[in-house]
């Protein structure tokens, strides 16, 4: 196992994953990997398709492996391949086998599952404002089914960050 502790921030859209990732990295004075899907989709001059989700998954892992080398003791990942799996299955009814085969490539020490208690923020890249509970349940079930270490993170404003820090501590990843 790497001496770097890796934490994946996961969950449905508009649950504060990106902000939480940045805030955690700042709090722990380390680096993080941003969500590659936003950058990728913004660069398209057409609607995305299922093949793009595979490209996004590959790009996310590539960026993660590159940036992990710059981390101190802990490294935060804004999304991971469970996100692309659920996204693909919800949108297209299936998932590319490469994503399924590489879903554990990140080797995370902990998943922070962001709860849907934040207000929905409309965004051209967001698609499912009325499926928040259903999507959260899919993430929750996926993490439980795979027996992955996770904590649900709730709270508004600074409370969410405090709860995430407490979850990291309670899993023994920092003193």
């Amino acid at each position: 196992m790497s001496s770097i502790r890796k934490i994946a921030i996961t969950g449905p859209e508009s649950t504060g994953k990106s902000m939480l990732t940045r805030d955690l990295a700042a709090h722990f004075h380390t680096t993080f990997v941003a969500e590659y899907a936003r950058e990728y989709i913004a660069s398209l001059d057409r609607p995305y398709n299922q093949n793009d989700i595979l490209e996004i998954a590959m790009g996310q892992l590539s960026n993660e492996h590159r940036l992990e080398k710059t981390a101190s003791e802990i490294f935060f990942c804004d999304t991971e391949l469970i996100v692309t799996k659920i996204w693909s299955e919800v949108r297209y009814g299936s998932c590319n086998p490469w994503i399924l085969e590489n879903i554990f490539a990140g080797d995370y020490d902990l998943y922070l599952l962001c709860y849907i208690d934040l207000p929905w923020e409309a965004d051209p890249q967001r698609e499912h404002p009325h499926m928040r509970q259903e999507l959260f349940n899919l993430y929750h079930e996926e993490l439980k089914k795979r027996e992955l270490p996770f904590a649900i993170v709730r709270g508004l404003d600074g409370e969410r960050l405090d709860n995430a820090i407490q979850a990291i501590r309670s899993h023994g990843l920092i003193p």
Side-chain angles (χ1 to χ4, degrees):
M1 179 182 281
S2 168
S3 62
I4 302 287
R5 300 293 181 213
K6 288 176 61 175
I7 298 176
I9 291 56
T10 195
E13 55 193 357
S14 195
T15 55
K17 294 183 299 293
S18 296
M19 180 180 290
L20 183 59
T21 302
R22 286 190 302 268
D23 290 350
L24 284 166
H27 177 83
F28 289 104
H29 308 289
T30 190
T31 56
F32 68 94
V33 62
E35 179 186 17
Y36 182 65
R38 291 204 152 270
E39 174 187 337
Y40 183 93
I41 290 174
S43 73
L44 294 176
D45 60 358
R46 59 172 171 73
Y48 75 86
N49 60 47
Q50 192 170 15
N51 290 330
D52 291 316
I53 295 176
L54 174 60
E55 292 298 320
I56 289 165
M58 291 175 164
Q60 185 73 33
L61 272 185
S62 175
N63 286 348
E64 182 179 314
H65 293 313
R66 180 176 48 82
L67 290 168
E68 180 182 3
K69 296 172 187 162
T70 68
S72 57
E73 296 175 28
I74 197 163
F75 181 62
F76 296 96
C77 304
D78 182 356
T79 76
E80 38 64 56
L81 295 191
I82 289 174
V83 172
T84 54
K85 174 190 182 293
I86 290 173
W87 177 16
S88 187
E89 290 174 346
V90 167
R91 175 76 179 212
Y92 298 103
S94 65
C95 182
N96 185 287
W98 186 93
I99 294 172
L100 299 174
E101 292 165 11
N102 287 279
I103 210 152
F104 294 114
D107 194 27
Y108 307 104
D109 295 288
L110 179 65
Y111 292 77
L112 296 178
L113 173 57
C114 292
Y115 192 65
I116 56 172
D117 53 348
L118 295 181
W120 175 267
E121 289 188 20
D123 175 314
Q125 292 188 12
R126 293 184 177 146
E127 301 174 319
H128 304 291
H130 305 295
M131 292 180 62
R132 296 183 86 195
Q133 187 65 59
E134 179 182 346
L135 290 169
F136 177 82
N137 292 346
L138 289 173
Y139 283 93
H140 191 233
E141 288 305 312
E142 188 75 23
L143 292 166
K144 287 189 332 188
K145 176 179 78 176
R146 294 178 181 277
E147 299 180 350
L148 297 169
F150 75 94
I152 297 172
V153 179
R154 304 171 190 262
L156 302 175
D157 305 319
E159 183 183 22
R160 195 175 205 85
L161 175 61
D162 291 344
N163 290 338
I165 293 166
Q166 181 56 40
I168 293 165
R169 283 196 174 111
S170 70
H171 279 81
L173 300 178
I174 57 166

